[in-house]
Amino acid sequence: MANTTEGRGLCVAPFLQLSKFPSQEGYLPGRFCAPVPSLGGTIECCLPCPVTSWIYSDSFHTTPKASNWLNVAGMVCTVSLIISFLALPVEKTSRHYLTVCFIVAVCILQLGFIIPLGARPEQCHDAITPNDMFSDLTCAFSGACLLVGGFAAISWGFLRSLSIHLQICWQVVPGPKIFWGSLFAGWGIPILFGSVALARTGVSYRFGDTCHINHDEALHAYWGPLLAFAAVSTILQFATLGYCIRVYIRALFQDDGKSQDSTGLPSYNGSVRTVTAKQAYRRVQKAVAVQWRGIVVVVIIIVNVVFLAVVFVSMDNTQQAVMQNFGKATPWLTCLVINGGDKNMCLDKVKGLAAPEPTVMAVLILMSLNGIWTLLFLGRASMIPAWIELIRSKFARKHDFVSVDARRYSANARPYEMITSPSQSAYTPKTPEAAVTSPSIGGDTIAVLSPQTPQEFFTRDAKYVSPTMSFSTPRPPSSGRFHGRGWDPSNTYARPWSPNTGKGGMI
């Protein structure tokens, strides 16, 4: 808290005289100055920078730092998700370009809170003037990440809500045109509005080490479009939810399509409509089962960003009202003068002049939890065993399988592994045993001789010896129809066969 004797001039403690600080750098509208009558005329007296140190209690300064460190934990969560999407197969992560881009947008938003941790910037350019993006490079980067990342999170949440709405309610499957259009809109619109906000409004240190958008034209240049996208996304979410409830109720109150007529037999006269309702319900159920995680995390982040927008818009309106009418701040300023700059004695008189301290603390903490929510809802339990399997495959030794019979045929393992052809003397195949001869039946025998070589098996003709009681004697094509065992047609009811005509008939 700056409070120098040289800059006090004719102002009473804790105020500093504006004319003592002629520098035109920094965010000049961020000074909190008021005209004060004196013996030498009206002078401008300003509160020392930063103003939040006079408005809020001493414990408030730990909240921005705590939120920054929470964003570090959130960044670890989101980066781990992105690495998992890149390294693991899609069946383990269920990655999608809408999910990946949404996580990248959250990472950019978190960078706005993480950059000041490493840079440790100075919030004030001088004793009464806060730094802005022109006087401090860290402020420019952190503010740009905050603006672009916040708008990108809302825009990708909107695109995800639109995609789910088209798939569930209109049965439209996104194709390549929607893919490229989503990429262009999802990143082009945030960059456009972020650039416009930086050019027309700018960012400065308003509270904490992170630069936030200034109040001049912030509603038209940034908060208005952001709230519009958030509102449309919310409408799509509720429309999709309403359609799901409608389909569920139709499937719940309709019968299974089987009604019985007066005969007691089932009838399917009204089954077409019932099947359609049940098919729609199953389709919606599958879509919701797959997309509910993304829906929940999108809703959470939209609520957080909208909450941040509402708080900042309220702060801007309050600040403008105080600047236009310093009479509202007179009791508080008088209390500071009477108590010699002891702000703790005057905190009860700050009400109505700035956003409540618990509200600002809640905004910072909720914004810091976005990365953790992203991991909890978009992460998959299947990623853990997938990572274990991937690490084992990279670092585990690969042992070739060698059979225990590898050395039975050769003392050298190379022939077994077919690196070189084994020699004929390396092993000798077992010769088939002697022929198996069937017992003799009535003097006839069946002899089956085992071939000694494969060539003999394919070249030798085997002689067929017909058994005595066999009825399957092979006949040449020229033999008669009734060669062998005959039969008497007179003993049966079959019609006799005439060899002359080849047809049955009386002889």
Side-chain angles (χ1 to χ4, degrees):
M1 185 183 301
N3 191 0
T4 59
T5 306
E6 294 82 4
R8 181 166 295 124
L10 300 177
C11 298
V12 296
F15 299 98
L16 303 176
Q17 189 171 345
L18 177 61
S19 58
K20 300 292 183 179
F21 302 94
S23 177
Q24 297 299 313
E25 295 183 358
Y27 184 57
L28 301 181
R31 296 171 174 175
F32 192 86
C33 303
V36 177
S38 64
L39 296 177
T42 302
I43 60 174
E44 293 283 340
C45 295
C46 307
L47 272 177
C49 179
V51 178
T52 54
S53 61
W54 297 94
I55 297 176
Y56 301 117
S57 62
D58 295 332
S59 61
F60 175 79
H61 299 285
T62 60
T63 302
K65 295 181 180 180
S67 66
N68 291 348
W69 285 108
L70 281 176
N71 278 279
V72 173
M75 178 65 74
V76 173
C77 296
T78 51
V79 170
S80 64
L81 276 178
I82 294 176
I83 296 176
S84 299
F85 290 155
L86 295 175
L88 301 179
V90 65
E91 60 269 12
K92 301 295 183 180
T93 60
S94 300
R95 64 177 178 263
H96 192 268
Y97 75 94
L98 292 175
T99 303
V100 175
C101 293
F102 179 78
I103 295 175
V104 172
V106 175
C107 288
I108 297 174
L109 176 63
Q110 292 171 333
L111 281 176
F113 295 95
I114 296 176
I115 290 175
L117 288 176
R120 295 182 180 181
E122 290 290 338
Q123 297 186 29
C124 301
H125 180 71
D126 53 34
I128 63 173
T129 310
N131 273 316
D132 61 359
M133 62 181 185
F134 298 105
S135 59
D136 186 78
L137 189 61
T138 303
C139 177
F141 278 103
S142 64
C145 290
L146 203 61
L147 295 180
V148 176
F151 211 113
I154 293 295
S155 64
W156 281 108
F158 162 75
L159 292 173
R160 189 179 182 89
S161 301
L162 179 61
S163 176
I164 296 174
H165 181 77
L166 292 176
Q167 294 180 52
I168 293 179
C169 300
W170 303 99
Q171 295 86 47
V172 175
V173 179
K177 293 182 179 180
I178 296 180
F179 169 75
W180 292 109
S182 299
L183 289 179
F184 178 78
W187 295 116
I189 293 177
I191 293 175
L192 174 63
F193 283 101
S195 302
V196 171
L198 289 174
R200 296 186 58 182
T201 304
V203 293
S204 63
Y205 292 105
R206 303 185 63 176
F207 51 82
D209 293 335
T210 300
C211 277
H212 300 274
I213 188 171
N214 299 322
H215 63 274
D216 295 335
E217 299 184 6
L219 183 61
H220 302 89
Y222 186 79
W223 296 121
L226 184 140
L227 291 175
F229 273 90
V232 175
S233 179
T234 304
I235 292 173
L236 289 175
Q237 293 280 8
F238 279 104
T240 306
L241 179 61
Y243 177 81
C244 295
I245 295 175
R246 174 176 173 270
V247 171
Y248 174 74
I249 293 176
R250 285 184 58 190
L252 185 65
F253 284 96
Q254 287 182 350
D255 57 7
D256 57 356
K258 295 181 181 180
S259 59
Q260 292 186 352
D261 54 12
S262 59
T263 62
L265 297 177
S267 175
Y268 297 90
N269 294 330
S271 63
V272 175
R273 184 176 178 182
T274 304
V275 171
T276 303
K278 287 196 172 183
Q279 287 178 348
Y281 171 70
R282 287 193 293 267
R283 176 177 52 81
V284 171
Q285 186 181 22
K286 292 179 180 179
V288 172
V290 174
Q291 300 288 347
W292 73 270
R293 299 170 181 265
I295 294 174
V296 172
V297 72
V298 166
V299 170
I300 290 176
I301 293 182
I302 287 177
V303 169
N304 291 342
V305 175
V306 169
F307 186 30
L308 174 68
V310 171
V311 171
F312 268 86
V313 171
S314 177
M315 291 176 60
D316 294 341
N317 295 334
T318 302
Q319 185 175 356
Q320 290 180 356
V322 172
M323 291 294 182
Q324 294 174 0
N325 185 9
F326 275 98
K328 297 181 179 180
T330 300
W332 173 57
L333 299 175
T334 305
C335 180
L336 290 176
V337 173
I338 294 174
N339 292 280
D342 188 0
K343 68 173 184 180
N344 296 321
M345 301 296 297
C346 307
L347 291 178
D348 57 337
K349 295 180 174 56
V350 182
K351 295 180 180 179
L353 302 179
E357 181 176 340
T359 303
V360 179
M361 294 173 65
V363 168
L364 295 177
I365 296 299
L366 289 177
M367 291 294 296
S368 304
L369 297 176
N370 289 334
I372 300 176
W373 292 124
T374 303
L375 177 63
L376 291 178
F377 287 101
L378 298 182
R380 301 277 179 169
S382 58
M383 294 181 182
I384 299 177
W387 271 114
I388 296 175
E389 182 180 355
L390 179 63
I391 294 174
R392 285 180 177 178
S393 64
K394 295 296 182 181
F395 294 97
R397 286 187 174 183
K398 296 182 180 179
H399 299 283
D400 293 335
F401 173 77
V402 179
S403 173
V404 294
D405 296 331
R407 298 184 181 274
R408 289 182 58 184
Y409 304 107
S410 175
N412 186 8
R414 293 174 60 86
Y416 182 79
E417 296 173 359
M418 301 182 69
I419 299 177
T420 59
S421 300
S423 60
Q424 294 294 332
S425 61
Y427 64 92
T428 302
K430 183 180 179 180
T431 303
E433 296 179 357
V436 178
T437 305
S438 62
S440 174
I441 303 177
D444 295 332
T445 60
I446 300 178
V448 182
L449 301 177
S450 300
Q452 301 300 321
T453 62
Q455 291 78 8
E456 184 181 356
F457 178 82
F458 289 104
T459 57
R460 192 182 64 177
D461 294 334
K463 183 178 180 180
Y464 181 80
V465 179
S466 176
T468 303
M469 300 300 294
S470 175
F471 294 94
S472 60
T473 304
R475 3 179 126 74
S478 61
S479 62
R481 178 77 178 260
F482 297 100
H483 174 77
R485 189 178 181 87
W487 60 285
D488 187 2
S490 61
N491 295 331
T492 64
Y493 292 96
R495 299 176 65 182
W497 179 81
S498 176
N500 297 328
T501 61
K503 299 180 181 180
M506 299 299 294
I507 301 177

